[in-house]
Amino acid sequence: MSSSLRAPAQRPCDSCPYRRDVPAGIWTAEEYAKLRRYDADTPDQPTRLFQCHQTDAGSVVRRVCAGWAGCHEGGELLALRLAVLEGSIDAVTYRAVVEYVSPVALFPSGREAAAHGEAGVGAPTEEALRLINKIRRTRNDLVQ
């Protein structure tokens, strides 16, 4: 069986909310709030995999977010366990997420990544605005 979600990219994308070097305010407050939920104890975590933001919702090829994989202990992620059971990912993708090590610095928790990102919502810097515009050009499912 082939998985419907691919393994994380080799490195988190340039606008990944988990990256320390990404300017604040790239995503909405609601998107940043999602990051905290994966810090909870395993039974209290979301049941859906955190997918890369660089792919629009209608895309056939989707990936597990590399920043998410690098920030969290994969074996402790409820969504990852359930994805294997449901067939959303295969054993190879599961292992890739569990063993993933980011080549760039990430926040050590979803809570810290969210706090950083939320600090710029409503007042993005010039650098943040450039990334937001790049994302809008890439993602067909976002309101322009």
Side-chain angles (χ1 to χ4, degrees):
M1 157 175 59
S2 66
S3 65
S4 57
L5 283 176
R6 293 175 50 199
Q10 289 184 335
R11 65 186 297 118
C13 62
D14 291 340
S15 60
C16 181
Y18 285 100
R19 283 180 67 142
R20 286 185 172 270
D21 62 350
V22 171
I26 300 296
W27 303 102
T28 64
E30 294 81 19
E31 287 300 305
Y32 288 118
K34 292 176 186 178
L35 307 182
R36 287 185 182 90
R37 297 181 203 146
Y38 292 98
D39 290 344
D41 290 336
T42 303
D44 299 324
Q45 293 174 7
T47 58
R48 296 185 54 95
L49 291 170
F50 197 82
Q51 298 177 29
C52 179
H53 281 88
Q54 285 298 325
T55 310
D56 67 48
S59 177
V60 175
V61 179
R62 305 229 2 121
R63 287 188 177 275
V64 173
C65 172
W68 179 76
C71 176
H72 300 285
E73 293 293 326
E76 300 300 318
L77 290 167
L78 178 62
L80 192 60
R81 295 176 185 182
L82 291 175
V84 172
L85 293 173
E86 296 168 350
S88 300
I89 62 170
D90 58 24
V92 173
T93 300
Y94 173 87
R95 181 66 36 214
V97 173
V98 170
E99 295 175 354
Y100 184 81
V101 176
S102 176
V104 298
L106 302 175
F107 287 100
S109 69
R111 179 181 45 77
E112 291 179 60
H116 166 75
E118 289 166 341
V121 173
T125 64
E126 287 292 322
E127 183 181 4
L129 290 171
R130 277 193 298 278
L131 272 174
I132 290 167
N133 287 329
K134 180 180 175 185
I135 293 163
R136 284 186 176 142
R137 287 189 304 271
T138 305
R139 296 267 310 257
N140 295 326
D141 62 325
L142 298 176
V143 178
Q144 300 219 9

